Amino acid sequence: MSTYTLISLFAFTMSAICGFFMIPQILSFCKKKHLYDTPNARKVHKNAIPRLGGVSFLPSMLIASIVALLVWSYTSKGNKIAISPWSVFFGLGITVIYLTGLIDDIFGVRARVKLLMQIIAACLLPISYLYINNLYGFLGIYELPMWGGMLLTIGVLVFVMNAINLIDGIDGLSASLVLIALCGLFFLFLRENLGIYCILIAGLMGVLIPFLYYNLFGRVERGQKIFMGDSGSLTLGYILGVLMVKFCMYNPHVMPYQKDSIILSVTLLIVPVFDVFRVIIVRLLHHKPLFRPDKNHIHHKLIRAGLAQRQTLLSILSLTLLYIVINIALFNHLLVTWIISIDIICYILFNYMLDMRIKQKGLSPFQSE
């Protein structure tokens, strides 16, 4: 087992311990301050549930990652930890996003204000000269001009943050999808011997384990169940987006040319990304406001089709894993553009069959509220 793997395992374990310590404290705090996610017509849950689980994500990741990096630096001679300019801007960006989500969870923030803060945080990455500069043949495009890559990076970061936030509609879904994506990214960075990123990813993966435990198996009557809230979903989305931009940016000084960068990055988050695109298109077709919440996401539709929450969770996770397996298998035989086109067609057919099933039950595939 490599040193990177051992240190990453240490970061994972420490983060999980931090999460198991912090989440009960957060539950107690929410109970004292009456900070609950109350049910309404759009939400699936029927009880008032504490919504600050995501508060534990960033502190647990940072504590575990910093300690693990210090251990790595101390035990491995010659491995000095250097703080690059993009790391400083990343720290500023994640702080902005984390605080925005936290304020929204406690006091509430208008959707347009949240979007503005997301754009500000996303802009910090290109300012530090970390941006997508190559599409690796997607749509026949390879190297991108700086201005185009910077604008694309901002759009990708904002989109991923919202995709993770909007898919967070049933127990365990958003955290499980992020965990799958992080596992994939961990393997990709380990493949390139980029140990620092492996440690950061492991630190974030670790805290998702205690969160999923309390989110999926916590008893409501015992006050043990918790939601991640926007402080969690936006933080996860921002970190995922940054890691994917880092992996997609071609920099020969960091890692060699990776022709699978785009397809792997898209595949790891394919379901939440496709779901947001579909919801936006459906809202436009029905002349509905883009920022108004509805019950038209994939998890809402699967539940209307007759599946229970756990069945819906397993169905979406299975769909994600199926996409990953198929896309990896097709990569050496088809161009990236064709693979993503096939993915889109399959997703359209899946939703069409789902709509037919919903109609058979006498319900509408589209619900605005």
Side-chain angles (χ1 to χ4, degrees), residues 24-140:
Q25 310 305 316
I26 294 170
L27 283 166
S28 178
F29 176 79
C30 289
K31 184 177 180 180
K32 291 177 181 178
K33 301 297 182 179
H34 303 286
L35 297 172
Y36 297 105
D37 190 326
T38 53
N40 57 35
R42 189 180 64 85
K43 296 177 180 179
V44 175
H45 62 282
K46 305 300 181 185
N47 303 96
I49 308 293
R51 60 174 182 265
L52 294 181
V55 172
S56 65
F57 293 175
L58 188 59
S60 296
M61 183 194 78
L62 289 177
I63 292 170
S65 298
I66 290 171
V67 173
L69 286 170
L70 290 174
V71 171
W72 181 50
S73 177
Y74 180 78
T75 57
S76 302
K77 294 181 179 180
N79 286 325
K80 302 297 182 182
I81 301 173
I83 299 177
S84 61
W86 86 263
S87 300
V88 175
F89 282 95
F90 167 68
L92 290 173
I94 195 61
T95 301
V96 169
I97 289 300
Y98 180 74
L99 292 177
T100 299
L102 181 59
I103 293 170
D104 184 40
D105 288 335
I106 297 175
F107 304 106
V109 176
R110 290 180 178 273
R112 286 178 173 80
V113 175
K114 277 198 294 185
L115 180 61
L116 175 62
M117 300 309 293
Q118 290 170 8
I119 293 172
I120 291 172
C123 287
L124 294 173
L125 215 60
I127 289 175
S128 67
Y129 291 98
L130 182 65
Y131 60 94
I132 300 170
N133 59 359
N134 201 309
L135 291 187
Y136 304 89
F138 178 60
L139 298 176

Side-chain angles (χ1 to χ4, degrees), residues 325-335 338-339 342-343:
V325 171
I326 291 175
N327 283 4
I328 290 175
L330 292 176
F331 179 71
N332 290 322
H333 305 284
L334 293 175
L335 297 174
W338 283 109
I339 296 174
I342 292 170
D343 291 340

Side-chain angles (χ1 to χ4, degrees), residues 278-297:
R278 183 189 59 79
V279 168
I280 290 173
I281 293 170
V282 170
R283 287 178 185 176
L284 290 173
L285 290 174
H286 286 82
H287 307 289
K288 299 295 182 181
L290 292 180
F291 293 103
R292 180 178 295 174
D294 58 28
K295 297 185 72 172
N296 195 38
H297 291 281

Side-chain angles (χ1 to χ4, degrees), residues 278 297-305 351 354-355 358:
R278 183 189 59 79
H297 291 281
I298 186 171
H299 47 278
H300 294 128
K301 292 178 68 176
L302 285 167
I303 290 173
R304 284 206 299 279
N351 275 274
L354 194 55
D355 289 346
I358 293 171

Side-chain angles (χ1 to χ4, degrees), residues 121-194:
C123 287
L124 294 173
L125 215 60
I127 289 175
S128 67
Y129 291 98
L130 182 65
Y131 60 94
I132 300 170
N133 59 359
N134 201 309
L135 291 187
Y136 304 89
F138 178 60
L139 298 176
I141 303 171
Y142 288 87
E143 188 174 349
L144 291 171
M146 180 182 291
W147 65 268
M150 287 183 169
L151 288 176
L152 177 61
T153 298
I154 294 169
V156 166
L157 286 172
V158 172
F159 193 88
V160 171
M161 280 186 276
N162 282 285
I164 300 302
N165 179 249
L166 294 172
I167 204 73
D168 185 30
I170 61 172
D171 293 346
L173 180 54
S174 183
S176 297
L177 289 171
V178 169
L179 195 57
I180 290 173
L182 289 173
C183 286
L185 286 167
F186 179 85
F187 171 78
L188 294 174
F189 282 110
L190 185 64
R191 184 183 72 179
E192 304 305 322
N193 290 319
L194 296 174

